[in-house]
Amino acid sequence: MFKKFDEKDHVSGVTQLKSSVQKGIRTKLLDQFPYLEDYMNQILPKKENLRVVKCHDHIEIIVGASGELLFFRQREGPYFPTLRLLHKYPFICPWEQVDRGAIRFVLSGANIMCPGLTSPGAKMTPVPKGTVVAIMAEGKGHALAVGLTSLSTEEIAKVNKGIGVENIHYLNDGLWQMKPVK
């Protein structure tokens, strides 16, 4: 999604959100990420104005008052935390850990294959299909990507072939390179 993302070419506008829309986004985020509840006022304070950066391909990026990129989504899909936010609050979403051999492929934007999640050194958190997950790496402390499960973890372990997690946003991609929005 953000492999060839360039701020100058892809951003089409920045809009300030009405308080009613902000409230709806907060509710959707709490439904999707229940562990966020205690930290919601730190991440999205009620009194501060949120903005949305509209990009090509129907991508919306939620921006905090300080200009920090917080969450994004495509069309009416699920919200994904940005990696910078995920590094501050690593417990937001479930983790899937890949083995050392998969790291360089994940960092180049490749999807996470089932064998990379079932080999020694890899760990899976039980989640259903279509769940937003943080992709961790064996021996590393921070997430290296954010993904969406293509199969449930049960199916990943059973099938052990094909794409297990779709790589949505990874370290050093266009979204990671994007500067805070003023």
Side-chain angles (χ1 to χ4, degrees), residues 58-72:
H58 303 279
I59 296 171
E60 296 178 341
I61 304 170
I62 306 291
V63 178
S66 63
E68 184 182 13
L69 308 173
L70 302 171
F71 294 92
F72 64 93

Side-chain angles (χ1 to χ4, degrees), residues 139-155:
K140 305 294 180 200
H142 291 292
L144 64 138
V146 176
L148 187 69
T149 55
S150 302
L151 303 166
S152 69
T153 45
E154 224 174 77
E155 292 169 322

Side-chain angles (χ1 to χ4, degrees), residues 6-168:
D6 184 88
E7 195 172 345
K8 291 179 189 95
D9 299 337
H10 289 82
V11 173
S12 56
V14 181
T15 315
Q16 188 163 328
L17 295 173
K18 294 180 185 175
S19 58
S20 58
V21 175
Q22 287 184 37
K23 195 174 183 182
I25 288 173
R26 287 172 62 92
T27 306
K28 283 181 187 173
L29 288 171
L30 285 173
D31 288 347
Q32 194 177 335
F33 304 107
Y35 297 114
L36 204 59
E37 194 164 354
D38 297 339
Y39 300 90
M40 186 54 95
N41 287 329
Q42 291 173 12
I43 297 170
L44 298 173
K46 286 182 183 174
K47 299 287 183 201
E48 290 183 3
N49 291 322
L50 293 179
R51 291 173 292 165
V52 168
V53 175
K54 298 214 180 236
C55 306
H56 295 296
D57 300 328
H58 303 279
I59 296 171
E60 296 178 341
I61 304 170
I62 306 291
V63 178
S66 63
E68 184 182 13
L69 308 173
L70 302 171
F71 294 92
F72 64 93
R73 73 176 180 171
Q74 188 169 21
R75 298 192 184 272
E76 295 300 313
Y79 280 101
F80 295 90
T82 61
L83 277 170
R84 292 189 194 279
L85 183 69
L86 198 57
H87 288 177
K88 288 182 187 172
Y89 303 95
F91 49 82
I92 289 177
C93 47
W95 293 5
E96 302 297 339
Q97 181 176 306
V98 296
D99 60 1
R100 288 185 188 278
I103 296 172
R104 70 185 181 124
F105 298 107
V106 173
L107 290 177
S108 65
N111 290 326
I112 294 81
M113 306 306 278
C114 292
L117 292 165
T118 56
S119 65
K123 293 180 188 148
M124 288 193 292
T125 307
V127 292
K129 176 183 178 177
T131 304
V132 175
V133 292
I135 307 300
M136 306 300 282
E138 180 184 7
K140 305 294 180 200
H142 291 292
L144 64 138
V146 176
L148 187 69
T149 55
S150 302
L151 303 166
S152 69
T153 45
E154 224 174 77
E155 292 169 322
I156 290 171
K158 198 187 305 174
V159 175
N160 205 17
K161 263 192 181 120
I163 298 169
V165 179
E166 186 183 340
N167 191 344
I168 304 293

